[in-house]
Amino acid sequence: MKILGLNEKDSRFLLIVIFLTLATPVLLQPFPEGSGMAQFNAGYPDLMQRFAIFGIFAIGFNILFGLTGYLSFGHAAFLGIGSYAVVWMYKLLDYNVIWGLPLAVVVSGIVALGIGFISLRRSGIYFSILTLAFAQMMFVISYSDLFGRFVGTTITNGETGLQVYGNDPQVLLGATEPSSPHFFGIVMRENFWTPQFGDWQFTFNNGYYFCAVIAILAFYLSLRIFRSPFGLMLRAIKTNQNRLNYTGVHSRPYTLAAFVISGMYAGLAGGLLAAMDPLAGAERMQWTESGTVVLMTILGGAGTLMGPVLGAGFIKYFENIFSKINDNVLHQWFAWMPDGLEDAIVWVLHFFVGKGWHLTLGVLFMLVVIFLPGGLVEGGTRIWRFIRGTDRKEKTADATHQPEHVAYVAEKEEF
Amino acid sequence: MGILEVKDVSKRFGGLKALSDVNLSVEEGTVHAIIGPNGAGKSTLLNCFVGKLIPDTGSVMFEGHSLLGIKPHQINQLGVSRVFQTPEIFSELTVFENVMIACFAKRDGSFRLQPFKTVENETDIVEKAEQMLVDVSMIEKRDMHSASLSRGDKRRLEMAMCLAQDPKLLLLDEPTAGMARADTNNTIELLKDIQKQRGITMAIIEHDMHVVFSLADRITVLAQGTPIVEDVPEKIKGHPKVQEAYLGTAH
Ligand SMILES: Nc1ncnc2c1ncn2[C@@H]1O[C@H](COP(=O)(O)OP(=O)(O)O)[C@@H](O)[C@H]1O
Ligand SMILES: [Mg+2]
């Protein structure tokens, strides 16, 4: 079966992704309420929304970093811009997200064009530093509301963050309109179905499904880009920009297009954050957020289609679930042990849960980078091959049978 | 008037005069070899044709366009393709993808944004790329990771990429350097075939004069940055100045 201009394999792939996305509220709720494992359930709206939103963020980032190899350390700037754009539309028009989201994409695209135009004059570490510098500048500008002070009215509302106040114009606000973000009356924070099956409790939330549909579209778009001549050129840039230039291709506009597209994805993600929770703060632009999306992409597998989504899910899961485990919970788990041993184990694990979840993430990240350089996707592929019993050597046979000749003239052209 | 006209080109690197007053004319449809001992300035000269270096003086004209001060991709789009001394390919991509990129660059120019097309549905590109691989007898390696190719095959692939662009002028910098004997012979045969079938104008830079003897229509001998002789291969072989240039720098 072929759908939406994809070949058979990709069509199947897309359908699986759609199924998994739509079934998330069930799939992430495997443990019955009240059981000791219930705290590992992730099927609640707030977290699922984050999975979808940061999935979008990482999918977009991957178009730049995964395909071209240009590592931006400033993508959080676009996340923040997206949020501000959406909240401004709440303030000026009304709570319908239909105004803010397109604006978030457009504005972050324009800003990405400017930042990309300058940063892409350099490559490698210099490019990364330039993007980082731009993002930090934007963070400071937002945090101190610098532009707002120039124009005489607030733009970002400084450290308090931007939010809707009673005296905001909201010119389109109807009498019966919901007073929280909605999409033509579908209120984001409301659930449309909360069925209970025995001890299992599921939550089907409007906001999650809104994000999920957009995430599926975002994924489909990235799939098309991966398979397009444009995607091929981006991969060529990553592997040998020198050859590409001498093949008649101007790489700069390609990298700039990739930068702008990934910036627009980030803006969309930021807009969706504000669509779920009508607030926008400067902290969303901080470099740690930029770093998170880098981690997500590498952890999941840079340059792969699913990797960034998996990475985003993984990190958000750890952030939310591991950070909630405290010493009491640990004591409950290990209560069956002799007291001394119990205390010792809890004392050690204590550093890896709660506020220490970053430590767990750090260890995990190191393990993945060292043992699975292709990220979680590579891990999945290896397990799959192992289950099917296919020999990994098959693929590398050519390299072993036809070893590369050693050059005795080691002259490499630099460009 | 040749397709490539080099006039009074000089280039200095600090105190070293790498090229001095080089004059050269490559006629359309011919194979022109530039030979000379190591360090004679051959690569430097070639880099002046492709936008990598700008000579201190002189001019380089291709079909009436100056090649000085324009970017490598612009020079390529004018119809000048180049093969590197060490094969430059997209080693993380498959053999087929490598050739397709060259086909796209030829068809779509230096930049064209087409994120919604699908590579495998671009039948003209796919067919052309397949034909190119057949022409260099690499079609059975179509889906191989190009990093795992032998040196000779990498050279073949690079050549296929250049040919896919139907260049008006093909520049080759020591195309057989670092190759095993069998690969060297293969490459020479390939170049002869290309010349016979397509009549592409070629400028070949070579250290080893035996490689180009059977190939070139004309040979220019470069020594210490200056052309000392230019003639047909038969006349070059026993030329006393050439012997001197090579023997003079022999190890
Ligand atoms: N970028 C450079 N900077 C300084 N000197 C260079 C540079 N490129 C080449 N040279 C020098 O110019 C001379 C000619 O080099 P080259 O053109 O590579 O010779 P060939 O290709 O004929 O062996 C050599 O002495 C080399 O060391
Ligand atoms: Mg050389």
Side-chain angles (χ1 to χ4, degrees), chain B residues 58-250:
Chain B
S59 67
V60 179
M61 305 292 275
F62 173 73
E63 290 193 316
H65 299 271
S66 172
L67 296 186
L68 304 185
I70 62 174
K71 298 256 174 61
H73 71 265
Q74 293 168 316
I75 292 175
N76 176 283
Q77 290 290 346
L78 288 175
V80 182
S81 285
R82 117 169 245 198
V83 168
F84 286 79
Q85 190 160 340
T86 317
E88 288 269 325
I89 52 173
F90 304 108
S91 50
E92 287 173 31
L93 306 181
T94 68
V95 168
F96 193 51
E97 284 170 332
N98 268 269
V99 184
M100 279 197 296
I101 288 168
C103 297
F104 275 117
K106 171 74 181 173
R107 191 192 74 181
D108 298 334
S110 60
F111 174 68
R112 189 166 156 204
L113 193 58
Q114 30 196 357
F116 301 115
K117 286 193 174 159
T118 303
V119 169
E120 59 188 40
N121 297 343
E122 300 291 289
T123 32
D124 56 328
I125 299 282
V126 170
E127 276 165 17
K128 188 169 173 194
E130 270 172 352
Q131 186 56 48
M132 285 327 304
L133 287 178
V134 170
D135 287 1
V136 298
S137 13
M138 281 188 69
I139 190 71
E140 74 283 3
K141 298 186 173 130
R142 185 182 187 272
D143 296 315
M144 260 171 79
H145 213 235
S146 54
S148 58
L149 294 172
S150 71
R151 176 103 180 199
D153 277 345
K154 281 182 181 163
R155 172 64 74 215
R156 245 166 216 279
L157 172 58
E158 198 187 27
M159 216 83 89
M161 291 164 70
C162 289
L163 294 180
Q165 304 198 298
D166 302 317
K168 293 175 191 156
L169 173 64
L170 182 59
L171 301 173
L172 302 106
D173 190 355
E174 303 205 29
T176 62
M179 275 189 189
R181 176 67 29 209
D183 280 337
T184 302
N185 292 338
N186 268 333
T187 306
I188 295 173
E189 288 312 309
L190 178 66
L191 287 172
K192 280 184 183 160
D193 283 351
I194 291 167
Q195 168 60 8
K196 214 181 294 161
Q197 285 160 16
R198 298 166 189 260
I200 292 176
T201 315
M202 292 192 231
I204 303 183
I205 283 195
E206 189 51 69
H207 160 72
D208 180 357
M209 68 169 106
H210 301 285
V211 170
V212 289
F213 254 91
S214 53
L215 205 60
D217 297 309
R218 278 194 92 70
I219 296 181
T220 300
V221 184
L222 206 63
Q224 287 162 354
T226 328
I228 47 171
V229 200
E230 188 191 316
D231 217 324
V232 292
E234 298 74 46
K235 296 260 179 68
I236 293 287
K237 207 170 220 163
H239 204 291
K241 274 188 172 175
V242 179
Q243 304 251 320
E244 189 194 311
Y246 270 83
L247 291 175
T249 57

Side-chain angles (χ1 to χ4, degrees), chain A residues 28-363:
Chain A
L28 291 186
Q29 205 71 352
F31 307 112
E33 291 303 310
S35 72
M37 298 297 278
Q39 59 200 310
F40 288 106
N41 282 338
Y44 52 93
D46 182 51
L47 184 52
M48 288 190 299
Q49 288 164 3
R50 272 162 200 278
F51 286 157
I53 292 170
F54 282 88
I56 294 170
F57 190 17
I59 288 170
F61 188 74
N62 190 42
I63 291 172
L64 177 70
F65 173 55
L67 290 182
T68 71
Y70 277 77
L71 177 57
S72 161
F73 252 103
H75 263 50
F78 308 119
L79 201 67
I81 288 172
S83 293
Y84 284 125
V86 166
V87 176
W88 262 111
M89 287 300 102
Y90 294 157
K91 289 165 83 75
L92 295 176
L93 304 177
D94 66 3
Y95 271 118
N96 194 337
V97 297
I98 192 73
W99 317 120
L101 287 178
L103 186 71
V105 174
V106 170
V107 175
S108 42
I110 293 169
V111 177
L113 191 67
I115 294 183
F117 184 79
I118 296 170
S119 306
L120 286 165
R121 303 192 156 257
R122 292 284 171 272
S123 58
I125 187 79
Y126 301 101
F127 167 79
S128 305
I129 298 290
L130 279 171
T131 52
L132 176 64
F134 272 113
Q136 279 304 91
M137 266 156 53
M138 307 222 353
F139 165 70
V140 172
I141 287 170
S142 312
Y143 194 75
S144 59
D145 205 1
L146 196 66
F147 287 158
R149 279 196 255 154
F150 273 116
V151 296
T153 168
T154 181
I155 302 273
T156 62
N157 206 18
E159 33 190 308
T160 319
L162 199 63
Q163 50 184 299
V164 182
Y165 294 114
N167 58 354
D168 282 331
Q170 297 203 289
V171 292
L172 295 179
L173 192 68
T176 57
E177 207 180 306
S179 59
S180 76
H182 65 90
F183 180 65
F184 294 105
I186 304 169
V187 177
M188 294 300 169
R189 64 168 183 225
E190 283 174 9
N191 305 323
F192 62 90
W193 194 30
T194 49
Q196 176 114 27
F197 297 102
D199 282 339
W200 278 269
Q201 169 76 54
F202 302 108
T203 315
F204 292 85
N205 169 263
N206 288 339
Y208 170 69
Y209 276 94
F210 184 76
C211 293
V213 169
I214 294 179
I216 288 168
L217 287 176
F219 179 80
Y220 169 70
L221 209 66
S222 112
L223 183 55
R224 290 301 298 263
I225 288 175
F226 266 64
R227 302 289 182 248
S228 71
F230 174 60
L232 183 63
M233 290 300 173
L234 296 184
R235 289 193 293 144
I237 287 171
K238 183 176 181 178
T239 146
N240 191 343
Q241 197 162 347
N242 192 32
R243 183 15 109 197
L244 193 63
N245 288 327
Y246 283 102
T247 306
V249 175
H250 195 193
S251 45
R252 184 88 52 79
Y254 282 101
T255 44
L256 186 56
F259 192 87
V260 170
I261 292 171
S262 72
M264 289 161 88
Y265 268 80
L268 177 65
L272 284 171
L273 283 175
M276 299 301 110
D277 184 10
L279 292 171
E283 72 288 343
R284 215 161 262 173
M285 290 183 154
Q286 236 168 347
W287 67 274
T288 45
E289 284 293 317
S290 298
T292 306
V293 76
V294 177
L295 291 191
M296 286 170 175
T297 311
I298 293 175
L299 186 68
T304 63
L305 276 161
M306 264 322 265
V309 184
L310 289 179
F314 229 77
I315 288 184
K316 283 294 149 189
Y317 184 82
F318 268 82
E319 182 182 299
N320 284 271
I321 303 298
F322 270 68
S323 63
K324 272 194 309 204
I325 300 172
N326 53 27
D327 285 7
N328 286 341
V329 177
L330 289 178
H331 276 293
Q332 273 174 30
W333 286 357
F334 297 104
W336 51 275
M337 286 184 168
D339 273 357
L341 189 59
E342 180 191 328
D343 288 344
I345 287 187
V346 169
W347 184 80
V348 171
L349 290 182
H350 160 86
F351 292 103
F352 290 88
V353 297
K355 285 207 174 75
W357 75 273
H358 278 114
L359 206 54
T360 318
L361 186 66
V363 171

